[in-house]
Amino acid sequence: MTEAATQAAPPRRRFYTQLWFWVIVGIVAGIVLGIVAPAAAKETKWLADAFIQLIKVIVGPVIFCTVIVGIASLGNLARAGGLALRALGYFLLATIVALTLGLIAANVVKPGVGFTGEPTQAQLDQAAGQIQQGRTDSGFIAFLTNDLLPKSFLGPFVDNKVLQVLVLAILTACAISALAAPLRKRLVGGVEALSKVIFGIIKLIMWLAPLAAFGGMAYTVAVFGSASLANLGLLMVTFWATCAIFVFVVLGAVSAWAGFSILKVIRLVKDELLIILGTSSSESVLPRLLTKLESAGASRQTVGLVIPTGYSFNLDGTCIYLTLGALFIIQAGNESLPIGAQIGLALLMVLTSKGAAGITGAGLVTLAASLQAFGGEFFTPEAIAIGIAVIIGIDRVMSEGRAVTNCIGNVVATLVIARWQNELDRDRLRAVLADPSLVAADMEYHHGGGARDESDQDRAPLENDTADAPDRAAVGSGTR
């Protein structure tokens, strides 16, 4: 970012021309339809599903191009490796905290104790499908061969395996980084040009976000009305409250240590959070986060590596859901799980939570897989089937909480790691958090319907970003 771009705020657009306004309109309209005409509202889910399907098509290429540009533009694998190790260390610590918080909440509130409801046959049938989907070989070796390592180069893109796409992108970036500088610059420039086309596609898809929010919210209200929510209300309240504690207390403390306010960060990404609430998918906003965080002052290298990696390794909301859901199933079956076994289950979920993409239903499948992998007398196939069937009734509502928490967690992680790496322009971040409209020009150009001046739209990604990385480091280390 140039000094002029930092100081000159773009003219404010009218609220009815902005995406967040129409997403809110879609959410409100969906709620009204779900209450007034639930039968018709149940037929609108395909709008959200179609939108998520389009987003999933583009997520793999976005991650692939972004990671390659982020790593290869450095021209220094040691620096990229240090960034990756710091990111993974942060993710591991956040995962442990989130899993532990879920265990504490389940033991304190005990949402499953005294549960007397019975799942319907439809819920049992749906649970059987989720269990079958989660029934894979467990263990570290199985994780490496089934979830981490791709079986072909194009397969991960076809199957939308985010973690495997990330592996391919890192390998490709390392190979490009080892080439001579002139060839490396040309290749990175080509990938950057391809990413512009991909972001153009995303710009078109995002116009459908209000319709997706309308369909998803109408379906949620119509299907999971007062009866279902009353039976499992305590579990939902416990989950959302635990996520709030994690965001405002845990992430709030981390943000304060890093020198920024969690409340201002949430305000910065409010548009993305509204889209997530409507679509119940954090993948739907991944491209927008890449643009917004770079515009807010984090280096392209940090954003390009941390955000895509976080979508597989830093799913804080999903981790809370896993331990809380597992103990709810135990409590609903009038059983108890010793503390030692709970710790063992949490340690297992440190592994099984990785690679769970931020899409609707992924948490439920991961929960089923985790319970099967843990095994034992407390999680028999029958208990798992009944427990999953019970939770299915409110999973859509909880999925929104998972996705929102995952998104905020990855945004905070990116800014914290950028500061840790001395690749955060703190003056720029401070200005953006005080006035989020400062990022409007970049967001409009990449994801909206307008355009910016030619002088601002064609930043040379390799030369400029690589050259000004030391300047950002100097700004970051000199501004406390």
Side-chain angles (χ1 to χ4, degrees):
M1 289 296 167
T2 64
E3 182 177 352
T6 302
Q7 295 176 349
R12 293 183 179 274
R13 295 183 297 157
R14 296 184 183 275
F15 67 91
Y16 55 79
T17 67
Q18 300 186 50
L19 181 63
W20 65 263
F21 171 77
W22 292 106
V23 170
I24 290 179
V25 170
I27 291 174
V28 173
I31 293 174
V32 172
L33 181 64
I35 295 174
V36 174
K42 291 178 182 178
E43 304 301 322
T44 62
K45 183 174 180 288
W46 71 271
L47 292 171
D49 291 342
F51 176 76
I52 293 173
Q53 184 174 335
L54 288 173
I55 290 294
K56 288 172 65 177
V57 169
I58 213 70
V59 162
V62 166
I63 291 176
F64 188 74
C65 294
T66 303
V67 171
I68 288 177
V69 172
I71 294 178
S73 63
L74 291 173
N76 186 333
L77 288 180
R79 182 180 168 194
L83 172 60
L85 287 176
R86 288 183 174 183
L88 291 176
Y90 177 95
F91 295 160
L92 178 61
L93 182 60
T95 295
I96 293 173
V97 172
L99 289 170
T100 303
L101 200 57
L103 286 180
I104 293 173
N107 282 285
V108 171
V109 180
K110 302 183 184 300
V113 173
F115 182 80
T116 58
E118 291 291 338
T120 65
Q121 186 58 46
Q123 290 172 327
L124 287 171
D125 293 341
Q126 188 177 354
Q130 300 284 1
I131 291 171
Q132 182 62 38
Q133 190 174 351
R135 183 175 289 137
T136 57
D137 293 334
S138 60
F140 182 70
I141 295 178
F143 170 75
L144 288 178
T145 56
N146 296 332
D147 299 322
L148 184 64
L149 301 179
K151 295 180 174 62
S152 67
F153 195 90
L154 297 180
F157 296 92
V158 175
D159 299 330
N160 196 41
K161 299 287 189 179
V162 174
L163 194 54
Q164 295 179 3
V165 170
L166 183 62
V167 171
L168 287 175
I170 293 174
L171 292 176
T172 305
C174 291
I176 293 177
S177 297
L179 300 175
L183 178 57
R184 175 170 57 85
K185 291 181 180 180
R186 290 197 298 271
L187 288 174
V188 174
V191 175
E192 175 70 10
L194 177 60
S195 70
K196 289 182 180 294
V197 176
I198 295 172
F199 274 84
I201 297 173
I202 293 169
K203 185 187 297 185
L204 298 176
I205 294 175
M206 290 311 297
W207 285 107
L208 301 176
L211 285 176
F214 167 76
M217 191 57 64
Y219 175 81
T220 300
V221 173
V223 175
F224 313 125
S226 58
S228 297
L229 299 184
N231 289 336
L232 297 171
L234 183 57
L235 175 60
M236 288 192 301
V237 169
T238 302
F239 173 70
W240 277 86
T242 306
C243 287
I245 292 172
F246 181 84
V247 169
F248 293 108
V249 177
V250 178
L251 295 183
V254 173
S255 300
W257 170 82
F260 54 87
S261 166
I262 186 64
L263 296 177
K264 291 183 177 180
V265 169
I266 292 174
R267 183 179 66 169
L268 175 65
V269 296
K270 69 178 187 306
D271 294 6
E272 289 70 32
L273 298 181
L274 287 171
I275 294 173
I276 290 173
L277 284 174
T279 63
S280 192
S281 169
S282 58
E283 280 191 341
S284 60
V285 299
L286 186 149
R288 293 177 58 88
L289 292 179
L290 294 171
T291 302
K292 181 166 285 189
L293 290 176
E294 183 183 349
S295 182
S299 70
R300 175 171 295 187
Q301 291 79 16
T302 302
V303 174
L305 185 62
V306 175
I307 285 290
T309 308
Y311 264 66
S312 284
F313 284 94
N314 190 42
L315 304 176
D316 303 322
T318 301
C319 291
I320 294 172
Y321 170 85
L322 289 177
T323 47
L324 181 59
L327 290 195
F328 173 83
I329 291 174
I330 282 289
Q331 294 166 358
N334 295 319
E335 300 287 350
S336 62
L337 195 64
I339 295 298
Q342 291 185 29
I343 295 174
L345 178 63
L347 291 176
L348 172 66
M349 288 177 170
V350 170
L351 177 63
T352 57
S353 64
K354 305 311 173 190
I359 59 175
T360 302
L364 195 62
V365 175
T366 305
L367 176 60
S370 301
L371 299 183
Q372 291 179 83
F374 191 72
E377 59 179 310
F378 299 105
F379 294 105
T380 63
E382 294 78 11
I384 295 174
I386 295 175
I388 295 296
V390 169
I391 292 179
I392 278 176
I394 57 168
D395 184 68
R396 173 83 188 192
V397 179
M398 298 176 73
S399 178
E400 294 168 352
R402 293 197 301 264
V404 166
T405 307
N406 292 343
C407 175
I408 297 174
N410 281 312
V411 169
V412 171
T414 302
L415 296 177
V416 169
I417 294 170
R419 178 190 183 277
W420 196 0
Q421 285 282 112
N422 283 327
E423 293 187 13
L424 177 66
D425 186 336
R426 299 189 206 176
D427 288 335
R428 171 66 179 177
L429 178 62
R430 187 178 298 110
V432 167
L433 292 181
D435 182 8
S437 67
L438 291 175
V439 303
D442 286 330
M443 296 302 295
E444 177 72 14
Y445 175 66
H446 287 291
H447 305 286
R452 298 181 300 176
D453 294 336
E454 290 296 323
S455 61
D456 193 36
Q457 72 180 33
D458 288 321
R459 292 175 55 219
L462 179 64
E463 293 83 358
N464 288 356
D465 284 339
T466 304
D468 70 8
D471 295 335
R472 279 187 174 171
V475 172
S477 60
T479 305
R480 296 294 175 185

